[in-house]
Amino acid sequence: MSSFGQKLTHDVHFLDHIKHEVPVQVYLNTTHEDIGFVQSFSDHYIKMNDVFYNRSQFKFISRPGY
């Protein structure tokens, strides 16, 4: 399981967050864009809050306990 503030980059990270219902924070560069639970993912996108975020454009940070 990822620790607070860990950057999520691998499929296994997103699978763990779905399985354990751990929130994820989304950043575009240094700007906070969203926080929520991962609904699904692919090689190119992460779906959260019914929004698709491009994995190569956004940064995803683990927020357990948030």
Side-chain angles (χ1 to χ4, degrees):
M1 193 72 232
S2 303
S3 58
F4 188 87
Q6 180 179 345
K7 186 175 179 183
L8 309 177
T9 55
H10 301 291
D11 287 352
V12 69
H13 295 155
F14 296 106
L15 282 173
D16 281 347
H17 281 69
I18 291 171
K19 180 181 177 182
H20 299 288
E21 298 180 341
V22 175
V24 173
Q25 202 161 8
V26 181
Y27 285 88
L28 180 59
N29 298 315
T30 59
T31 303
H32 173 262
E33 294 291 328
D34 199 0
I35 190 165
F37 298 97
V38 176
Q39 295 170 279
S40 62
F41 65 93
S42 72
D43 291 342
H44 303 287
Y45 294 94
I46 304 298
K47 183 180 180 187
M48 287 178 40
N49 302 327
D50 293 324
V51 176
F52 290 89
Y53 293 98
N54 187 308
R55 286 176 76 158
S56 64
Q57 184 179 4
F58 292 89
K59 214 173 12 173
F60 304 93
I61 306 295
S62 180
R63 293 297 185 211
Y66 192 81

